[in-house]
């Protein structure tokens, strides 16, 4: 089985968010896919199988399967559009029958994802204790979104992963209004055995709707302030979030899976 590792949301290796990608002829056992993800020890390993004019796609973290992943979708599209298909647009279907699309626009790969419907959450002592700081606002959809007062607060944030794991939401995102960028964020997923996700595409399906409304603008240039860092060029389109970024190939390898 061939596997690619692609750094997403960057044009430099060792930056952005690395994802492993396996393009399969047919689906393999879920346990094997999870074991591959555990062996890779990246935040995401994507598996895709072509079915007619689209690809079915699934994503596994070292802690299990997830329903949506942005950077691994971008990485998978990069692999398919550069090594498998002679086209500039690819369509995916998730295990939940959600339709996704990715278009190549010059050096960018633009994904169309569903926007999450954010619900305001009370700022509790538990959340303040877990974060070590009092957020300005908190929202919840699939993940928990906490708004801090400055980009430096996001950059300097020191996560207590044991406490964060006990909070509601699959992942935790912290964000603040940016200076060079519209917004700055970081993402943490201890429930999925991901201490910090370097650049989280699905997280921006929470982050971008918030800042689009707050800043009263449809186009959001986002920066993820992890150690690896990455940039996302985002746009609100009705109930969708268009997320674009660059990608670069780090490696190609053969997995000895029988």
């Amino acid at each position: 089985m061939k596997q690619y590792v692609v750094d997403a949301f960057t044009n430099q290796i060792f930056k952005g968010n690395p994802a492993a990608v396996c393009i399969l002829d047919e689906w393999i056992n879920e346990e094997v896919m999870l074991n591959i993800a555990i062996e890779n020890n990246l935040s995401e390993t994507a598996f895709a199988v072509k079915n007619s004019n689209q690809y079915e796609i699934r994503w596994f973290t070292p802690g299990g399967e997830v329903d949506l992943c942005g950077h691994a979708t971008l990485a998978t599209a990069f692999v398919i559009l550069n090594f498998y298909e002679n086209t500039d647009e690819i369509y995916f279907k998730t295990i939940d029958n959600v339709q996704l699309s990715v278009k190549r626009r010059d050096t960018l790969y633009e994904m169309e994802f569903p926007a999450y419907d954010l619900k305001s959450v009370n700022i509790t002592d538990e959340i303040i204790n877990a974060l070590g700081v009092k957020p300005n606002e908190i929202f919840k959809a699939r993940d928990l979104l906490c708004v801090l007062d400055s980009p430096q607060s996001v950059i300097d944030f020191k996560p207590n992963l044991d406490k964060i794991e006990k909070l509601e939401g699959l992942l935790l995102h912290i964000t603040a209004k940016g200076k060079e960028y519209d917004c700055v964020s970081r993402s943490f997923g201890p429930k999925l055995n991901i201490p910090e996700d370097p650049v989280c595409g699905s997280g921006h399906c929470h982050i971008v709707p918030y800042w689009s409304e707050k800043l009263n603008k449809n186009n959001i240039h986002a920066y993820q302030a992890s150690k690896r860092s990455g940039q996302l060029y985002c746009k609100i389109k009705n109930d969708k979030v268009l997320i674009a970024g660059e990608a670069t190939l780090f490696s190609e390898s053969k997995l000895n899976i029988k």
Side-chain angles (χ1 to χ4, degrees):
M1 180 190 304
K2 193 167 187 179
Q3 178 175 273
Y4 305 81
V5 175
V6 175
D7 290 337
F9 296 117
T10 182
N11 59 11
Q12 303 175 56
I13 60 169
F14 309 128
K15 293 286 189 180
N17 200 351
V21 177
C22 297
I23 309 299
L24 309 173
D25 294 326
E26 59 185 19
W27 287 111
I28 58 176
N29 184 276
E30 288 184 2
E31 184 179 359
V32 175
M33 289 192 283
L34 178 57
N35 284 334
I36 292 171
I38 292 170
E39 186 78 8
N40 287 330
N41 200 30
L42 298 172
S43 59
E44 235 84 28
T45 298
F47 300 88
V49 172
K50 188 171 185 179
N51 184 353
S52 187
N53 63 342
Q54 65 181 359
Y55 282 79
E56 297 173 355
I57 188 168
R58 297 175 71 173
W59 309 273
F60 285 79
T61 77
E65 187 170 10
V66 294
D67 65 338
L68 189 66
C69 177
H71 84 279
T73 302
L74 189 154
T76 305
F78 174 90
V79 169
I80 292 171
L81 294 178
N82 284 282
F83 300 105
Y84 289 84
E85 303 285 351
N86 183 25
T87 182
D88 286 322
E89 185 169 11
I90 189 73
Y91 297 91
F92 294 107
K93 184 176 75 170
T94 76
I95 195 170
D96 295 325
N97 289 319
V98 176
Q99 301 292 324
L100 307 173
S101 67
V102 183
K103 295 179 181 178
R104 177 165 46 193
R105 300 186 185 279
D106 296 323
T107 62
L108 295 176
Y109 295 82
E110 184 181 75
M111 304 178 289
E112 183 174 287
F113 271 30
Y116 282 106
D117 184 20
L118 300 174
K119 303 295 184 186
S120 181
V121 173
N122 291 329
I123 302 174
T124 65
D125 290 339
E126 179 192 16
I127 293 174
I128 295 171
N129 182 51
L131 297 181
V133 63
K134 184 177 181 180
N136 296 341
E137 297 178 276
I138 304 176
F139 299 87
K140 183 178 179 298
R142 183 197 71 175
D143 305 336
L144 200 63
L145 176 66
C146 295
V147 183
L148 304 188
D149 59 3
S150 71
Q152 199 62 45
S153 299
V154 174
I155 293 167
D156 293 340
F157 181 75
K158 293 179 172 55
N160 184 319
L161 296 174
D162 289 335
K163 291 182 178 179
I164 289 172
E165 188 173 8
K166 295 179 175 66
L167 297 178
E168 292 186 55
L170 186 64
L171 287 86
L172 167 71
H173 310 289
I174 58 170
T175 187
K177 183 180 177 182
K179 295 179 180 178
E180 288 183 64
Y181 308 92
D182 292 310
C183 62
V184 174
S185 65
R186 291 172 67 191
S187 302
F188 306 92
K191 290 185 178 75
L192 298 169
N193 291 335
I194 303 170
E196 180 167 4
D197 196 14
V199 190
C200 187
S202 64
H204 282 78
C205 295
H206 300 70
I207 295 164
V208 171
Y210 171 82
W211 286 113
S212 176
E213 182 174 346
K214 197 76 172 178
L215 301 176
N216 193 29
K217 58 189 298 187
N218 284 335
N219 295 301
I220 299 293
H221 186 188
Y223 178 71
Q224 193 114 45
S226 66
K227 184 177 180 179
R228 293 179 63 100
S229 75
Q231 296 185 46
L232 307 91
Y233 303 88
C234 308
K235 183 187 299 183
I236 290 290
K237 181 182 176 183
N238 300 320
D239 60 346
K240 304 289 185 182
V241 181
L242 304 184
I243 302 174
E246 294 181 289
T248 189
L249 181 67
F250 172 67
S251 68
E252 299 177 55
S253 61
K254 181 181 178 182
L255 304 187
N256 294 313
I257 306 296
K258 296 181 180 180

